[in-house]
Amino acid sequence: MNSDKSVILLEFNELCPSLIERFIQEGKLPNFQRLYEESEVYITDAEEEPPYLEPWIQWVTVHSGVPYSEHQVFLLDEGYKLKSKSIWDILSDAGLKVWICGSMNISYNPSLNGYIMPDFWSTKITPNSEELLLYFRFVQKQVQEHTNDSVPLNTGDYLRFLDFMKNHGLSLDTISAIIQQLIREKITGKYRWQRATIADKLQFDLFRSYYHKIRPRFSTFFINSTAHFQHMYWRNMEPDKFQIKPSVKEQIEYENAILYGYQEMDKLIGKFLNLSDDKTTFILSTALSQQPCFTYEETGGKRLCRPRKFESLLDFAGVKSNYICSPVMAEEFHVRFENEQDATEAEQKLINLQINQRQIMRLRRNGNDIFGGCGIFEEIPQNAILNIANSKKSIPFFDIFYQIEDIKSGMHHPDGILWIRKPSCKHSIHEGKISLCSIAPTILELLEIPKADFMKGTALV
C-alpha cells in the first residue's frame, strides 16, 4: 500500500453532462475544461427509475457500492439504515484518515479515523466532532428554511458562526463575496437565491482548513446549489421549451441562474486543483443529473407549498402527542413520535386535512416516523380554506402554508458525470455507461485497498 496516495471525491450533485459540454464549448467553464482534459471520462447510469431516482438513494449506492435493490435506503435522512460499510469505514478500518464533508444520506462507524460532517438535511446522523457541530447546526437551519422568510437564527448565532469560521479557514475571497452579495441584494432587492453559492464558498474554506490539518487519504466534498438552480430555473434557461413562459421580470433575474451556478462551481474546481499534489487523484461525480420537467405544464407548472411553522400545522390537525419535527427538502418534512400508536393517530389526523374535500397531505409512515408534505402541486387560490374532514374546524390555507415562489421546472435524469483525474493527467473518453456501483471499488483500488465482498461493481482502474 502506497502511503502517499490520496483521493478527493467531488460530489457536485446532479450536474448535467449536456450542460457541462455546452458551457465548456462556449468557453465559460475554464476549470471544468481543464479537469475534463486531464481526466478519464465516463457517463454513469443510476440504473433506477422514479420513484427510486433520487440523490439520497443514488449517493448511498455511490458510497457503498450496493444498488438500491439491496441497500433499500429510500428516504433522505435514512442513511443510518444502511447495513453495509461505506467507503470511509473500509478505509478507516485499514488505518487511513478520512474527511467526509457534507456527503448525502450517510452513516459511519463511531470509531472513524478522521472527521465526518453529514448533509444538512440530516437529523439522525451528526458530525463526529463537537467543533464541527456549531458549523453544522448553523448551516442546517439556513438550508432547511431557505424558502422561509423567517430563519430561526439570531445575532448571537451569526457572531458565533463567524468566530468559528475565523479560526477554521475563512478566506478573504469568501469575505469579499459575502459583502458583495449583501450589497447586491440591498441595491437591487433581488438575488437572494445566490446565497447558496456563498454557503459553498464557506464550506470550501472549512474543507481546506481540515484538509491541511489532517492530510486525509480520502475526502469528499458535497454541494447541492446548482442542482437546486436547475430544479427551479430550467424554465428561465430554455423558455422556448416550456408551455408556461416566465415573465420579463423573472428573466431579468433568473435567465442565467443555472449558468451562474456552473460558473461558481467552476471557481471551486480551480481551488481544488490548487490543493492537489502529484499523489492526488480527483474524482468528479454527480450521481445523476437533470432534464427539463414538462409533466405539470397543463396545470400551471409544479408549485410547492410548505408549512410556515410545522407545529402550527400539527396543532391545527389536532395532534397532541409529543413529537420532533424536522424539515427536509422543498415541501417535505419528518415527524417522529415516541411510539407507533401516536404516529398512527397523527397520520390519520393529517390525512383528514383537505381543501374542497380534496386530501392535501402526501404521507408515508414507517413505525413511529411520518415523512410527507403537501401533495397539491398546482397553484392554490388565495382564498382557499383548509378544513378537517367531517369537522367544522377550518382556517385560511395560507395562514398555515406558504407557496414557494418559483415554479419547479427541472427533474431527475439517470445519467451522471464521472471524471477521474489521476496524477498522470491522462485523458481518455470511455464509451457506454457504467454503473454507480463501480465508483466505490474504484476508489478502493486507487488507494490499494481490496474491494469489499458485498460491493457489486467492478473497479474502473
Side-chain angles (χ1 to χ4, degrees):
M1 182 171 65
N2 188 328
S3 61
D4 294 331
K5 290 183 177 180
S6 64
V7 172
I8 298 177
L9 175 60
L10 302 179
E11 301 177 337
F12 286 8
N13 194 36
E14 299 178 19
L15 298 194
C16 302
S18 59
L19 293 184
I20 285 274
E21 180 180 2
R22 167 179 157 185
F23 295 148
I24 285 178
Q25 289 178 349
E26 293 173 354
K28 294 173 179 175
L29 302 178
N31 293 307
F32 273 110
Q33 181 172 357
R34 176 189 166 191
L35 182 61
Y36 175 85
E37 292 174 349
E38 296 176 355
S39 296
E40 296 186 32
V41 176
Y42 300 86
I43 297 294
T44 57
D45 184 355
E47 300 176 309
E48 300 290 351
E49 296 180 357
Y52 308 111
L53 187 61
E54 297 285 359
W56 46 86
I57 294 175
Q58 271 68 72
W59 283 115
V60 176
T61 298
V62 170
H63 298 146
S64 65
V66 176
Y68 170 73
S69 60
E70 293 189 24
H71 69 64
Q72 291 291 294
V73 178
F74 179 68
L75 296 176
L76 184 57
D77 201 20
E78 287 192 343
Y80 70 95
K81 294 182 177 179
L82 179 66
K83 294 182 174 62
S84 56
K85 291 182 177 181
S86 297
I87 313 166
W88 42 83
D89 296 312
I90 296 169
L91 294 172
S92 176
D93 291 345
L96 279 63
K97 282 187 178 179
V98 299
W99 168 208
I100 309 307
C101 186
S103 290
M104 179 173 266
N105 217 14
I106 64 170
S107 62
Y108 65 91
N109 190 316
S111 61
L112 190 83
N113 181 17
Y115 289 93
I116 195 156
M117 183 175 68
D119 67 74
F120 302 110
W121 300 276
S122 175
T123 63
K124 295 181 179 177
I125 301 293
T126 57
N128 67 338
S129 162
E130 280 293 324
E131 64 180 355
L132 278 171
L133 200 57
L134 186 147
Y135 179 95
F136 175 76
R137 295 296 190 206
F138 180 89
V139 179
Q140 183 181 56
K141 289 179 182 177
Q142 295 276 10
V143 168
Q144 292 183 349
E145 298 291 346
H146 76 278
T147 61
N148 202 332
D149 291 336
S150 178
V151 177
L153 293 168
N154 56 41
T155 302
D157 294 324
Y158 283 94
L159 291 175
R160 284 188 290 272
F161 178 76
L162 288 174
D163 185 62
F164 171 87
M165 286 303 305
K166 182 179 68 176
N167 297 307
H168 291 83
L170 182 62
S171 65
L172 291 176
D173 283 349
T174 301
I175 293 172
S176 175
I178 293 171
I179 293 171
Q180 290 179 45
Q181 175 67 29
L182 295 176
I183 291 173
R184 186 184 307 116
E185 289 182 28
K186 184 71 173 177
I187 292 174
T188 66
K190 304 174 183 176
Y191 303 107
R192 182 183 173 87
W193 56 271
Q194 293 181 354
R195 290 188 182 189
T197 64
I198 300 295
D200 294 346
K201 291 176 171 62
L202 287 165
Q203 187 163 314
F204 174 80
D205 288 348
L206 181 74
F207 176 91
R208 181 169 53 189
S209 174
Y210 278 87
Y211 188 82
H212 288 317
K213 176 181 177 180
I214 69 170
R215 293 293 177 182
R217 298 284 307 287
F218 174 68
S219 50
T220 70
F221 182 83
F222 174 93
I223 49 177
N224 185 65
S225 55
T226 301
H228 171 70
F229 297 162
Q230 290 175 162
H231 275 304
M232 294 301 178
Y233 308 126
W234 203 299
R235 182 186 313 276
N236 303 93
M237 180 177 66
E238 297 180 327
D240 292 344
K241 292 185 176 181
F242 289 85
Q243 180 176 329
I244 300 167
K245 307 299 182 184
S247 68
V248 173
K249 181 181 177 182
E250 289 171 338
Q251 284 302 85
I252 291 172
E253 183 168 0
Y254 301 122
E255 182 178 10
N256 294 313
I258 291 176
L259 172 60
Y260 174 82
Y262 277 82
Q263 288 180 316
E264 290 297 301
M265 287 189 165
D266 187 74
K267 295 173 186 176
L268 287 176
I269 292 285
K271 291 180 178 181
F272 272 105
L273 291 175
N274 288 335
L275 282 179
S276 66
D277 55 30
D278 60 2
K279 298 296 176 67
T280 303
T281 295
F282 277 98
I283 300 177
L284 172 65
S285 176
T286 69
L288 63 165
S289 61
Q290 289 189 34
Q291 59 189 321
C293 176
F294 306 118
T295 309
Y296 300 89
E297 291 298 284
E298 295 295 331
T299 57
K302 187 174 184 179
R303 298 174 182 268
L304 304 176
C305 289
R306 193 171 188 265
R308 297 180 185 277
K309 291 184 178 180
F310 295 96
E311 295 79 7
S312 299
L313 172 65
L314 272 74
D315 181 63
F316 176 77
V319 176
K320 303 300 183 184
S321 49
N322 294 329
Y323 62 84
I324 296 175
C325 190
S326 53
V328 191
M329 284 187 170
E331 82 285 4
E332 296 174 325
F333 57 92
H334 277 286
V335 191
R336 298 186 179 93
F337 294 86
E338 293 179 350
N339 56 68
E340 187 168 348
Q341 180 179 344
D342 287 349
T344 302
E345 292 175 358
E347 178 186 28
Q348 186 56 54
K349 289 178 178 179
L350 290 169
I351 286 173
N352 286 336
L353 296 177
Q354 56 183 220
I355 297 176
N356 292 330
Q357 299 183 328
R358 179 182 178 186
Q359 178 183 327
I360 70 162
M361 300 302 296
R362 178 174 46 86
L363 303 169
R364 176 189 176 97
R365 186 182 62 80
N366 183 10
N368 63 342
D369 188 328
I370 296 175
F371 180 84
C374 180
I376 297 179
F377 298 124
E378 66 262 26
E379 187 165 12
I380 296 175
Q382 287 299 311
N383 62 352
I385 298 298
L386 177 66
N387 68 283
I388 299 174
N390 303 315
S391 167
K392 295 181 179 180
K393 189 175 182 180
S394 65
I395 192 172
F397 178 83
F398 287 107
D399 281 6
I400 299 289
F401 288 87
Y402 68 95
Q403 194 155 45
I404 296 174
E405 182 178 355
D406 302 308
I407 303 174
K408 193 171 183 180
S409 56
M411 61 186 290
H412 293 140
H413 189 284
D415 286 0
I417 292 167
L418 182 66
W419 298 352
I420 302 175
R421 179 189 183 264
K422 299 176 187 175
S424 64
C425 296
K426 181 181 177 181
H427 176 66
S428 60
I429 300 174
H430 297 264
E431 299 299 327
K433 298 178 184 179
I434 58 105
S435 170
L436 290 178
C437 293
S438 292
I439 297 177
T442 297
I443 291 169
L444 296 178
E445 180 76 14
L446 287 165
L447 293 171
E448 301 179 8
I449 301 297
K451 169 187 166 182
D453 292 339
F454 59 79
M455 290 182 174
K456 302 304 179 184
T458 303
L460 302 175
V461 295

